[in-house]
């Protein structure tokens, strides 16, 4: 969920993807070096923007395309749809091409998958015993609607872990967003008055930047 490492490691993912394809693939370097492209992507820009239900939704990804799924999942999990949409905007900094994410998974021991950049432990903790039966974390790159549902329930669980009377001068949504980025334990520390570090503050700043367009995106 952290943006800072991204520019350093994109090249490493390209190398891993090229190795995975093998030397017989003459176009492997081009595909690996351009994370947002896929083998099925046309050479010319599509005439219409891909929608949330299209098979190539990642070629022109915008969280707003998933407003219907965001409203549905937020309502089920009883979280603010604006917050859920803002999380998707915060997590949109990296390519979400499923092929790219699977290549990244080969070189990162703890990758975050799907459009909400969820780690496996968070997904399994959110799912355990009550939600998304039969679904797996490895499905997240190919199923953005599942990633949105999982993120909504994770936000709901984080909200339940807040102190009854937080001492921080932050809203509930701000604290939950910090929990999504920095973890439940740090969220509680922030709620009890600890100042967010530079990474957490950067995530909060991006949330503020994305807040209004998130509200616009989830309007009926």
């Amino acid at each position: 969920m952290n943006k800072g490492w991204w520019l350093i490691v994109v090249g490493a993912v390209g190398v891993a993807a090229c190795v995975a394809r093998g030397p017989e693939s003459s176009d492997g370097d081009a595909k690996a070096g351009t994370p947002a492209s896929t083998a099925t992507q046309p050479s010319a820009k599509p005439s219409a923007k891909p929608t949330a239900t299209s098979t190539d939704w990642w070629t022109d990804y915008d969280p707003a395309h998933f407003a219907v799924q965001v409203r549905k999942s937020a309502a089920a999990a009883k979280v603010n749809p604006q917050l859920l949409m803002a999380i998707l905007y915060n997590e949109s900094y990296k390519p979400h091409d499923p092929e790219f994410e699977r290549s990244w998974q080969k070189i990162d021991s703890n990758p975050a998958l799907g459009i909400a950049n969820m780690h496996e432990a968070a997904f399994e903790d959110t799912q355990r015993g009550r939600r998304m039966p039969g679904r797996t974390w490895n499905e997240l790159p190919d199923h953005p609607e599942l990633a949105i549902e999982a993120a909504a329930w994770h936000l709901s669980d984080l909200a339940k872990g807040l102190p009854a009377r937080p001492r921080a001068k932050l809203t509930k949504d701000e604290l939950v967003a910090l929990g999504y980025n920095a973890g439940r334990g740090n969220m509680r520390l922030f709620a009890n008055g600890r100042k967010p570090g530079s990474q957490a503050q950067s995530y909060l700043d991006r949330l503020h930047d994305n807040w209004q367009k998130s509200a616009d995106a989830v309007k009926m």
Side-chain angles (χ1 to χ4, degrees), residues 3-110:
K3 185 178 180 181
W5 49 265
W6 186 245
L7 293 178
I8 300 174
V9 300
V10 167
V13 177
V15 171
C18 181
V19 170
R21 290 177 185 276
E24 72 279 6
S25 177
S26 60
D27 58 351
D29 289 342
K31 292 171 186 173
T34 310
S37 67
T38 68
T40 57
Q41 184 178 346
S43 56
K45 187 175 180 179
S47 58
K49 289 185 177 182
T51 66
T53 57
S54 66
T55 57
D56 59 349
W57 55 266
W58 59 87
T59 61
D60 189 17
Y61 173 62
D62 182 345
H65 296 167
F66 293 89
V68 172
Q69 291 88 342
V70 166
R71 288 194 296 265
K72 179 181 177 181
S73 291
K78 295 181 172 59
V79 298
N80 183 356
Q82 184 178 1
L83 171 62
L84 179 55
M85 181 63 78
I87 292 295
L88 295 185
Y89 272 112
N90 268 33
E91 302 294 343
S92 66
Y93 60 86
K94 77 174 188 180
H96 289 299
D97 177 342
E99 184 178 347
F100 179 91
E101 291 208 331
R102 281 188 285 271
S103 296
W104 174 250
Q105 194 175 359
K106 295 175 182 177
I107 66 169
D108 188 340
S109 61
N110 185 30

